[in-house]
Every structure is written in C-alpha cells, then in structure tokens.
Amino acid sequence: MRVGLAGCGRWGRLILRDLISLGAEVAVADILEAKRADSLMIGAVSTHDGIEALPAVDAYVVAVPTVLHSHALEALIPRGRPIFVEKPMTCNTDDAARIVTMAPDRVFCMDKWRYHGGVLKLAGLAKSGALGEVLSVRSWRLGWGNPHDDVDATWILAPHDLSIAYEILGFLPGVRAAFGLSSDPIGTSLTGLLQDNEGGPSAVMEISTSHPVNRRSVVVIGTEGVAQFGDSYDSVVRVNRPGKEPEEMPVSTEMPLLAELRAFLEHVKGGPPPKSSAAEAALFVRRIAEMRAIAGFEGA
C-alpha cells in the first residue's frame, strides 16, 4: 500500500516508522530539507518539499503543525482518498465544520487514546454495567512544558481526554464549567466540567503543562464500583467495589499509535472506518473552543 505522509517532525517520524512496519510504502512531504533526509534514513520511498508535490497514493496521513491542519486537509481532500489527520483535526471551529462538509466519510482523526488498552478496558466495563450506572469519568494529563510552539496545551492535551470520555461514555456532554491559567513562560492549565443540563454522567478533565510531576490517569466512577488505570504504560486496570477485594484486570499493551494506523490501513483496504470520524473530531474541537471561552483564554 502506498501512503503519503505530510510532515515528518517529532511525531511524524514515529508515524513513518509504524507505517513502514505495517508494510506501507511511504512518500513524505516536509518543507525542511533535514526532515526529508531524516525520513529517507527511516525508510521513506521518496521525499517532496510540499504537500502539493506528494504523488497520487492510496491514502494520506497529516502530521504537520496544528495550525496547518486545515490547509493540509483542504489541499488533499480533492484527491479523493482517505485521510488520517493528527489531533486535533483543526484548531478552529469554522475550519472543522468546513472539513466535515467537504469530506464527512474520508477524513478521520488520530485520537490514539481510543485505541489504548486501558481506555478500551474502562469502556468495556462501563458499557457492560460491571460498575453499575456510570456517574463520572475523570482524567488527569499533567506534565511540564509544551513542545509545540504554534498552539497552547489546550489544543494539544484536551483532545486526548475528550476522546477518552467519548469512548467510555459513547457521547460527549456539553461544557458546564471551565477555568484555568495561561501564562508564559510557566505554561497552561485547564480544568473542565462537562455534563448535560438535564444531568447524566459527567466528564471532568484536568490538563497542565505547568505541573512538575507527570501524571496520566483515568478513573470511571459508577454506582457499584470504580475502575482506574493509573499511568499510560500500566498493564492492568484496577477495580474496587464496596465490600469486595480489589481486582486487577490485564489490558493490551500494544502501542496505540500502531493500533490506530493499522485500523486506518485496513480501512483503506476495504475494512471498517477507524476512530474518530470527521464529525466526532469536529465535536472535540467545539468542546475545546467552548472551554477556552468559558475560562477566558485569549483568542477563544
């Protein structure tokens, strides 16, 4: 299978590595000569100095900086092939809505946490009723520094936790409250509460690039039990129920980037579509914009 990869930076080179491991022949476009040379060393079959120069292939993957996502998508959509774009699909609600209109069934967003073994286990427990009625999904994505210089951490970290809540709940509630701090050079933090006005389960998320200690954790709270994976690389989900011994349930430890790229390539061959659709990705963009506006962030 032939794939065109737009962007071969810090994350794009990992995408290239995994596409090659899955048997794809990858043509890479990057404006920087050093990145093009790096991609050839990794195993790209050809390199090009811009998206427009990419050859006709079976599918495309977009891993350019976030502010360029909509430009890249609008350049590639007329080619009529499936496109997998890094999260967030865009950092602008109008751009996201336009992409959905242009290619609702051909653009998909790389929400890798929807392929994470821990998230899938939590989703299975929630949907099976093993925890009773789900009351809340709570997540923490805390650390120090933001390697992206085009957008702040709300656009980089929040898509992960929104997609996790969506995978577990099967929907994404509206934004009820949000607050945070965005201050250079310290960083950005945001806490959001999502819950529909008529009630139902909530999703509470906290992200930060000004936290000295890394934390990646998700908890599902139900009326009959609580389940958690405590770190990105945990091999188990821990479940506590009142009056019962705690349980540890093993989870798949396959890297979610590899899993989502495999799902995309299988779709290109005729299989089911990968997660997340353009419409779902646009919903995540709207929720981020809503939280930013409520929190009073600049540019919201």
Side-chain angles (χ1 to χ4, degrees):
M1 179 179 298
R2 300 165 303 156
V3 176
L5 172 61
C8 196
R10 184 181 62 89
W11 193 248
R13 69 193 316 274
L14 300 180
I15 293 172
L16 173 60
R17 175 203 65 192
D18 284 358
L19 285 171
I20 292 172
S21 76
L22 292 167
E25 297 181 354
V26 186
V28 171
D30 200 291
I31 61 173
L32 297 179
E33 183 178 357
K35 300 290 179 63
R36 297 197 298 271
D38 188 36
S39 69
L40 288 172
M41 292 181 64
I42 295 171
V45 297
S46 64
T47 61
H48 310 270
D49 60 6
I51 293 173
E52 292 77 7
L54 279 171
V57 291
D58 301 306
Y60 296 93
V61 178
V62 173
V64 297
T66 300
V67 294
L68 300 178
H69 282 188
S70 59
H71 168 77
L73 289 170
E74 291 182 16
L76 292 172
I77 284 172
R79 299 193 179 198
R81 305 306 304 162
I83 305 170
F84 215 15
V85 58
E86 253 303 321
K87 57 78 195 164
M89 184 170 72
T90 72
C91 54
N92 178 280
T93 55
D94 291 338
D95 289 347
R98 186 168 61 254
I99 297 302
V100 173
T101 300
M102 292 177 66
D105 301 320
R106 285 192 291 108
V107 172
F108 307 93
C109 193
M110 298 175 69
D111 288 311
K112 69 174 185 176
W113 284 84
R114 297 187 68 180
Y115 293 85
H116 189 284
V119 171
L120 294 175
K121 178 65 74 174
L122 292 176
L125 289 168
K127 293 168 184 175
S128 71
L131 303 175
E133 179 185 354
V134 174
L135 302 175
S136 186
V137 176
R138 301 191 176 188
S139 60
W140 295 264
R141 192 165 302 276
L142 314 174
W144 182 258
N146 176 16
H148 304 265
D149 57 12
D150 58 329
V151 292
D152 69 31
T154 61
W155 292 108
I156 299 303
L157 300 182
H160 289 316
D161 294 283
L162 292 173
S163 67
I164 288 170
Y166 188 91
E167 183 69 24
I168 292 171
L169 295 175
F171 71 101
L172 198 58
V175 179
R176 178 169 289 189
F179 62 91
L181 175 68
S182 184
S183 176
D184 290 332
I186 294 300
T188 300
S189 60
L190 178 72
T191 299
L193 166 62
L194 286 72
Q195 187 175 40
D196 291 332
N197 291 331
E198 61 272 20
S202 65
V204 183
M205 51 174 282
E206 181 181 356
I207 65 165
S208 177
T209 56
S210 56
H211 201 272
V213 178
N214 283 348
R215 184 180 183 189
R216 303 286 189 270
S217 184
V218 180
V219 177
V220 179
I221 302 172
T223 56
E224 298 176 14
V226 176
Q228 176 183 22
F229 77 83
D231 183 77
S232 303
Y233 299 103
D234 272 5
S235 59
V236 298
V237 159
R238 295 166 176 85
V239 181
N240 281 28
R241 295 182 177 89
K244 296 184 178 180
E245 290 295 318
E247 293 183 68
E248 289 192 348
M249 299 182 175
V251 302
S252 170
T253 56
E254 181 181 35
M255 297 302 288
L257 173 61
L258 182 65
E260 68 176 348
L261 288 170
R262 180 186 296 111
F264 178 63
L265 295 185
E266 289 300 321
H267 170 63
V268 177
K269 295 175 183 177
K275 310 165 185 182
S276 301
S277 69
E280 290 168 340
L283 172 61
F284 303 155
V285 171
R286 291 199 304 273
R287 291 292 186 266
I288 295 170
E290 290 163 2
M291 287 190 291
R292 287 174 55 85
I294 292 173
F297 279 26
E298 184 179 353

